[in-house]
Amino acid sequence: MVEYRVAERRDNIDLVWSISELSSLFERRTNIDDFLQAVVDRIAEHLESDVCSVYLLDEAEGRLVLRATRGLDPGSVGTVSLMLGEGITGTAVKELRPIREARGNRNPLYKFIPGTNEERYQSFLAVPIRRGLSRIGAIVVQHQKQDQFTSHDTRALQAIAGQLASTLENVEMIMELHNRRAPLLPAQRGAAEQIACQCAAEGIAVGRVVHLGGGDDAIEPNHDDEDQETAFRRALERTDRQLEALHRELDERLADIASLIFGTHLLMLRDEEFSGLMVDGIRNGSRAHVAVRTIVDRYVEMLSASTNPRTREKTQDIRDLGSRLLRNLRPEQEDGGDLRGRVVLAHELFPSDLVRISAEHAEGIILTGGGATAHITILARSLEIPTVYLRAHDDGNLSDGDMVAVDAYEGVIHRDPSPALLERFERARELHRVDDTVRGEGPAFTRDGVAVELLANVNILHDVEVASRVGAAGIGLYRSEFPFLVRNDFPSEIEQLGIYRRIAERAPEGPLVFRTLDIGGDKLFSESEHSEANPFLGLRGIRFSLAHRDLFDEQLRAMLRAGVGRDLRIMFPMVASVEEFIVARSRVVAMQKELEAERIEHHRSPLLGVMIELPSAVELASDFARVTDFMSIGSNDLVMYLLAVDRANERVEQLYQPVHPAVLRAFSRIVDAGREHGCPVSICGEAGGDPQVLRFLIGIGLRSISADPARIPGIRTTIGQIDSHDVARLASELLSVSTTDDVLQRLGSM
């Protein structure tokens, strides 16, 4: 009876604590304290506990502060605190593990706090709230009866903590601002030009330039004769509606990465101190736009000075919110997306910035930081936002309001384009648009009938839909790090499960290859405390996962659970040795046993493979072929490491050559090793979509290509023009030459 009741209660929690329910719970609260109180009330009700409390970590003090409770003395809120490692709760957070006690007051770790009235309660369960390796706080539930909580309750509370983490991290940031005592309001004070660029994500963009987080001085204030407080409150309400609409739309379009993207904006907007200081400034005589700018600037200054790197990263959120409030102070401002008809100019972007820009329907992006990192380039392609970048320290003399036409195919920005040029650009858009009516189905065939499997590389859910439209036979690479990069943190197992399930449910029938986390190199968290002097040669790929087993295990569990009923394959990136693969494989087996013991449905026989993208892996290709179920050539990194060329470095980017003889010979060795040992080999880097390289790959016997979905129709067409015997002879010739010029000359003769 007890187990039945617990299982029924857990089901209720799963229903209540969906991401959408959590968002709506926040939407109904006007301030942070109300939200946290609603959280503990909801947990207590559905877990049937006498007490539920939320503690948040003050990193500067190293203390866990009681922020909300149901069941303890309300006067304890804000006054009771524990050091990390102090008491059961402090130990749970310090060691990042749940602690469940049948009789909490008998645990040697138990810390009695006078005045809280918790001495009446025996059962004790503390679960840390964390984002990956970062501590945020804890949820604690207690009950008067002993031994009331079970392992099912622990797992359910861990799921809730994971879903709460993003929102509570933003609450942590606002708490830090509230704790600062510096004054926030000072005294009141009275013919078309062509610009060369580099292409990151192809497309055509036409619109007026707007600086990301800048250009607010150009925004005209509200009319002089209008009551300033009335104008401000109207802007506040309009901003709230816009953010709610954007949040809903983003969740519909990009459900896998949308969760709580606008969380900081909404929290700050509804924080009574943030908006209240602006009202105070207006009542003291400031114009509304002056009060908004003043408070936003001061908050940005305080956030930038924070010792918490996650808090520092919120400065762009505050700037964005300030810009939106200023725009909404204009009486004529309409509700809706702000960036329609605009091309965004930015020095640098976080992945979360890129997602927000997509949600606001920007036409395109111009980056001025001297290059686009790999994850920004890949994500921009997935979001179908034309993106270019200018050389370092060059902004092309572009100003807010300039009319531009961005050709992200040829690498040209046209300032003040003529009507004739705009008409030509519109025709170019039509020409480059993927025509779903001529898509193929199943494998591609060479002219002489040799079949080549075409799979899709997937970064976000939108890519899966495109992959289905263009007839991909399955998913050859799902880059699982993108939800991590967009969130700039580590989603919980439950959050990952939701993302992976959506991918699995919508993916074409056929192989479904999940690659485990590839963090490092140019795919790093911004402002990360894990940053390294040389990240390309540091803790990245499988090294990162094996160094953080708890995160790796959570990801593997989520993948195994999401892959039920599919041809699931799990691939490990940046593997340098057979030993690394063996250890990674052992973690998969361990997680299968763990899920089996918990009676959680999961995939029982996934295929396990490796990315071949390091010189050491090329040397060990035959050894890998004997112990793995499949191999995939990661050509992007393999070319970089073989040639010692950073593809994002504009000074040497011309040396990045996928047709370099050493690269072609490495490709051939890998394919030969797979053929010799019966181990399937595919390629999932950009080289597979290059028509010249593709001829060589078919010639050496590669029969599986995984590429960006938008490139699949072109690859299918190229393969249809190839005769396998002709390209086999060509490949043999290319393997015998020793210079890149000779390779290009022979390819050109084809």
Side-chain angles (χ1 to χ4, degrees), residues 484 491-501 514 551-564 568 570 591 595 601-603:
F484 293 68
S492 67
E493 176 187 334
I494 298 299
E495 290 172 307
Q496 291 180 71
L497 175 61
I499 294 168
Y500 304 156
R501 271 183 176 163
F514 284 157
L551 301 178
F552 190 39
D553 289 351
E554 284 188 355
Q555 181 171 47
L556 292 174
R557 285 173 58 97
M559 288 179 172
L560 290 167
R561 295 172 67 182
V564 173
L568 177 64
I570 298 176
M591 292 305 100
L595 290 167
E601 189 178 18
H602 63 282
H603 200 292

Side-chain angles (χ1 to χ4, degrees), residues 162 424 481:
R424 181 162 65 85
E481 62 269 12

Side-chain angles (χ1 to χ4, degrees), residues 548-594:
H548 301 290
R549 297 288 179 89
D550 53 343
L551 301 178
F552 190 39
D553 289 351
E554 284 188 355
Q555 181 171 47
L556 292 174
R557 285 173 58 97
M559 288 179 172
L560 290 167
R561 295 172 67 182
V564 173
R566 294 301 306 261
D567 178 8
L568 177 64
R569 307 177 186 189
I570 298 176
M571 181 163 64
F572 307 116
M574 302 301 298
V575 177
S577 67
V578 174
E579 292 93 330
E580 285 178 332
F581 171 75
I582 292 173
V583 174
R585 182 178 62 188
S586 72
R587 297 314 305 161
V588 176
V589 174
M591 292 305 100
Q592 288 176 301
K593 291 180 178 178
E594 194 174 277

Side-chain angles (χ1 to χ4, degrees), residues 414-655:
H414 301 267
R415 196 203 318 253
D416 297 326
S418 66
L421 184 61
L422 291 176
E423 183 179 348
R424 181 162 65 85
F425 267 44
E426 186 55 40
R427 289 199 302 270
R429 273 177 171 165
E430 292 297 325
L431 179 65
H432 287 287
R433 189 167 288 132
V434 175
D435 187 355
D436 296 339
T437 63
V438 296
R439 68 181 181 132
E441 293 285 355
F445 290 93
T446 63
R447 212 166 56 224
D448 56 329
V450 174
V452 179
E453 181 182 48
L454 294 183
L455 305 172
N457 294 342
V458 168
N459 310 307
I460 60 177
L461 191 61
H462 174 71
D463 293 333
V464 178
E465 297 165 359
V466 179
S468 297
R469 293 204 307 266
V470 299
I475 305 302
L477 169 65
Y478 170 60
R479 296 182 174 100
S480 68
E481 62 269 12
F482 273 86
F484 293 68
L485 290 165
V486 169
R487 298 276 291 275
N488 198 32
D489 217 329
F490 300 87
S492 67
E493 176 187 334
I494 298 299
E495 290 172 307
Q496 291 180 71
L497 175 61
I499 294 168
Y500 304 156
R501 271 183 176 163
R502 291 187 184 101
I503 297 292
E505 289 166 358
R506 302 187 191 185
E509 292 297 328
L512 177 61
V513 181
F514 284 157
R515 184 180 71 184
T516 58
L517 187 64
D518 185 11
I519 293 293
D522 53 358
K523 288 181 286 220
L524 283 168
F525 294 149
S526 56
E527 296 280 351
S528 174
E529 58 264 41
H530 312 293
S531 58
E532 301 169 301
N534 193 343
F536 284 105
L537 301 180
L539 196 65
R540 66 166 298 192
I542 195 63
R543 294 174 183 172
F544 184 94
S545 294
L546 294 180
H548 301 290
R549 297 288 179 89
D550 53 343
L551 301 178
F552 190 39
D553 289 351
E554 284 188 355
Q555 181 171 47
L556 292 174
R557 285 173 58 97
M559 288 179 172
L560 290 167
R561 295 172 67 182
V564 173
R566 294 301 306 261
D567 178 8
L568 177 64
R569 307 177 186 189
I570 298 176
M571 181 163 64
F572 307 116
M574 302 301 298
V575 177
S577 67
V578 174
E579 292 93 330
E580 285 178 332
F581 171 75
I582 292 173
V583 174
R585 182 178 62 188
S586 72
R587 297 314 305 161
V588 176
V589 174
M591 292 305 100
Q592 288 176 301
K593 291 180 178 178
E594 194 174 277
L595 290 167
E596 185 70 30
E598 296 173 17
R599 298 183 180 180
I600 295 176
E601 189 178 18
H602 63 282
H603 200 292
R604 286 173 166 75
S605 56
L607 300 183
L608 304 179
V610 294
M611 294 271 286
I612 304 295
E613 48 194 337
L614 297 175
S616 64
V618 176
E619 289 295 321
L620 294 170
S622 290
D623 301 87
F624 280 121
R626 281 192 289 266
V627 299
T628 65
D629 296 314
F630 66 95
M631 299 186 294
S632 184
I633 302 171
S635 63
N636 296 354
D637 281 330
L638 181 57
V639 173
M640 180 181 68
Y641 285 112
L642 279 173
L643 304 184
V645 174
D646 181 358
R647 53 190 165 157
N649 184 337
E650 63 189 46
R651 299 174 65 184
V652 296
E653 62 185 1
Q654 73 278 5
L655 301 176

